[in-house]
Amino acid sequence: MKDYEAVLKQVAGRMMHMKQDGIQEKYPVSLLDMEAWEWPQGVGLYGLYKYYKNTGDPGTLEFLTGWYDRRMEEGPREHNINTTAPMLTLTFLYEITGRPSYLDEIKKWARWMMEDKGLIRTGDGLFQHMITGDPNEDEILIDTLFMAVYFLARAGILLHRQDYVEEAHFQILQHIKYLLNKQEGLFFHGFNFKRNDNYGEVLWGRGNCWYTIVLMDYLETVPVGEGLKRYFLSVYQNQAQALKRYADPETGLWHTVLNNPETYLELSASAGFLAGIMHGVRNGYLSCEAYGPVIEKALSHLEDYIAGDGTVLQVSYGTPVGLDEAFYKNIPCYPMTYGQAMMILALQEAMAFEGDAGRTHQMPAIH
């Protein structure tokens, strides 16, 4: 039987050494190589930060600071939604290290997001999901909440800029307005203001988990007024009810298209949902009685998708917005840094949940 701590160490250690290994990628910057600056690496860095926060492992902190120092030595890079993702972890590293160079970078990036000629806005003032080499005209994606909005709120706190924090709140509200499927309580992947539609209206798994994860951490690290907090939580709670409904009956995990069991089980989304749901139960936002069985079933099958070297399996590659479910079903799976990060979050939440002596429901060990 493997314990959580040992598996966590394997998963975190594997992420630090992920390479492209000759795989042909369709994007200008590698989504596979840990040494690149893009959104998958940004999610991975956040997972490693959370691992460091929980373990205090000096080697992990050394890796994180070394990664940013090397990237900053490489010079300026294109600013867009996805390349903003690594900036989130830098806000936490600045609090740990106090390095002026980190704060300078945070200032410059946040200023770009807010200035008129910086981050492109779509209709209703939303952040356009511009990516490396493609402005994605008039497009918004649910991914933006993790990739850019959370960072802006964190930057606002560090820089004492309440306008940054309020802008982040506004962006979350507007993304909910345009992307939430109210009948299901789940999110569509994207919306286009020129088309005036949600593309294929697909309830994509990983897209949905960005809200599940972000909201729990956002409420712990960003000041949110009571009325707004209640609204954000009502969306989260409705989403959790839908996730309970669509969990795979055999494994408790989730399919890459949530309401289509003919699509494959996808582990970055599954681990993300599991982390977000456990976090919600731990903080009293969800009922342990209602969600304990969901958590228990999903946790009992996680190890089936972690290789002996700590690689998280069955993680879909970077996914643009699609026009039908077949598009998502055909996205290939590779070892990805965000899959590793989501698994770190899930395993750590499992440990925190089990370690809470005030709870009567105990989570099963991975075996």
Side-chain angles (χ1 to χ4, degrees), residues 76-149:
R77 53 189 31 85
E78 180 179 328
H79 283 43
N80 57 59
I81 290 290
N82 283 349
T83 58
T84 302
M87 294 301 299
L88 173 60
T89 299
L90 196 62
T91 66
F92 293 100
L93 286 184
Y94 170 70
E95 290 180 321
I96 295 168
T97 66
R99 293 187 184 182
S101 60
Y102 290 1
L103 187 61
D104 288 344
E105 195 70 15
I106 292 165
K107 287 179 181 177
K108 288 187 288 187
W109 213 286
R111 189 182 308 124
W112 166 79
M113 291 182 71
M114 295 292 288
E115 64 189 12
D116 290 341
K117 295 184 179 179
L119 178 53
I120 302 169
R121 305 293 181 110
T122 65
D124 269 6
L126 281 89
F127 291 162
Q128 182 167 300
H129 196 81
M130 53 190 295
I131 63 173
T132 305
D134 191 341
N136 282 333
E137 188 176 357
D138 296 308
E139 177 181 290
I140 65 168
L141 297 185
I142 190 66
D143 313 47
T144 297
L145 299 185
F146 187 98
M147 306 310 158
V149 173

Side-chain angles (χ1 to χ4, degrees), residues 183-222:
Q183 287 71 39
E184 292 281 3
L186 296 166
F187 290 96
F188 296 127
H189 189 180
F191 182 87
N192 187 286
F193 283 86
K194 185 174 290 184
R195 296 165 55 101
N196 197 33
D197 67 17
N198 291 105
Y199 296 92
E201 299 188 349
V202 177
L203 302 175
W204 179 49
R206 188 164 63 242
N208 270 269
C209 88
W210 298 128
Y211 186 81
T212 323
I213 290 173
V214 163
L215 184 65
M216 291 296 95
D217 288 357
Y218 196 91
L219 293 180
E220 288 187 345
T221 61
V222 178

Side-chain angles (χ1 to χ4, degrees), residues 57-353:
D57 176 50
T60 301
L61 181 60
E62 182 180 355
F63 176 87
L64 288 168
T65 55
W67 189 94
Y68 281 100
D69 293 345
R70 290 192 299 276
R71 301 294 82 75
M72 290 166 74
E73 287 174 5
E74 293 167 359
R77 53 189 31 85
E78 180 179 328
H79 283 43
N80 57 59
I81 290 290
N82 283 349
T83 58
T84 302
M87 294 301 299
L88 173 60
T89 299
L90 196 62
T91 66
F92 293 100
L93 286 184
Y94 170 70
E95 290 180 321
I96 295 168
T97 66
R99 293 187 184 182
S101 60
Y102 290 1
L103 187 61
D104 288 344
E105 195 70 15
I106 292 165
K107 287 179 181 177
K108 288 187 288 187
W109 213 286
R111 189 182 308 124
W112 166 79
M113 291 182 71
M114 295 292 288
E115 64 189 12
D116 290 341
K117 295 184 179 179
L119 178 53
I120 302 169
R121 305 293 181 110
T122 65
D124 269 6
L126 281 89
F127 291 162
Q128 182 167 300
H129 196 81
M130 53 190 295
I131 63 173
T132 305
D134 191 341
N136 282 333
E137 188 176 357
D138 296 308
E139 177 181 290
I140 65 168
L141 297 185
I142 190 66
D143 313 47
T144 297
L145 299 185
F146 187 98
M147 306 310 158
V149 173
Y150 187 18
F151 159 71
L152 183 62
R154 289 277 309 154
I157 294 167
L158 293 179
L159 303 174
H160 307 289
R161 292 291 302 264
Q162 186 60 27
D163 56 329
Y164 290 6
V165 177
E166 294 299 332
E167 181 65 29
H169 294 344
F170 172 81
Q171 291 295 327
I172 297 173
L173 285 168
Q174 289 287 72
H175 278 74
I176 292 171
K177 173 183 175 181
Y178 284 98
L179 297 175
L180 184 64
N181 178 326
K182 297 176 181 62
Q183 287 71 39
E184 292 281 3
L186 296 166
F187 290 96
F188 296 127
H189 189 180
F191 182 87
N192 187 286
F193 283 86
K194 185 174 290 184
R195 296 165 55 101
N196 197 33
D197 67 17
N198 291 105
Y199 296 92
E201 299 188 349
V202 177
L203 302 175
W204 179 49
R206 188 164 63 242
N208 270 269
C209 88
W210 298 128
Y211 186 81
T212 323
I213 290 173
V214 163
L215 184 65
M216 291 296 95
D217 288 357
Y218 196 91
L219 293 180
E220 288 187 345
T221 61
V222 178
V224 179
E226 185 61 25
L228 192 57
K229 178 181 177 180
R230 286 172 61 193
Y231 177 76
F232 288 162
L233 280 171
S234 70
V235 174
Y236 163 83
Q237 288 159 346
N238 289 336
Q239 186 195 41
Q241 289 178 14
L243 292 173
K244 184 179 179 181
R245 185 166 67 249
Y246 284 122
D248 178 66
E250 287 189 22
T251 65
L253 303 175
W254 287 271
H255 296 270
T256 196
V257 176
L258 291 170
N259 57 344
N260 185 348
E262 294 184 2
T263 62
Y264 56 83
L265 294 173
E266 204 281 328
L267 265 291
S268 67
S270 294
F273 290 140
L274 189 52
I277 290 171
M278 283 190 287
H279 197 162
V281 172
R282 179 164 58 86
N283 284 350
Y285 300 137
L286 298 175
S287 160
C288 184
E289 289 71 26
Y291 289 91
V294 177
I295 295 168
E296 187 171 334
K297 180 175 283 189
L299 276 179
S300 69
H301 287 87
L302 277 189
E303 195 189 11
D304 297 342
Y305 298 92
I306 303 174
D309 66 351
T311 301
V312 179
L313 307 174
Q314 212 154 303
V315 175
S316 61
Y317 186 68
T319 307
V321 66
L323 294 177
D324 54 39
E325 293 182 358
F327 174 82
Y328 294 87
K329 185 177 181 179
N330 292 326
I331 296 292
C333 292
Y334 295 106
M336 305 296 298
T337 51
Y338 48 82
Q340 305 294 123
M342 301 293 199
M343 189 61 72
I344 287 173
L345 299 183
L347 295 174
Q348 289 190 155
E349 279 298 329
M351 291 176 68
F353 199 106

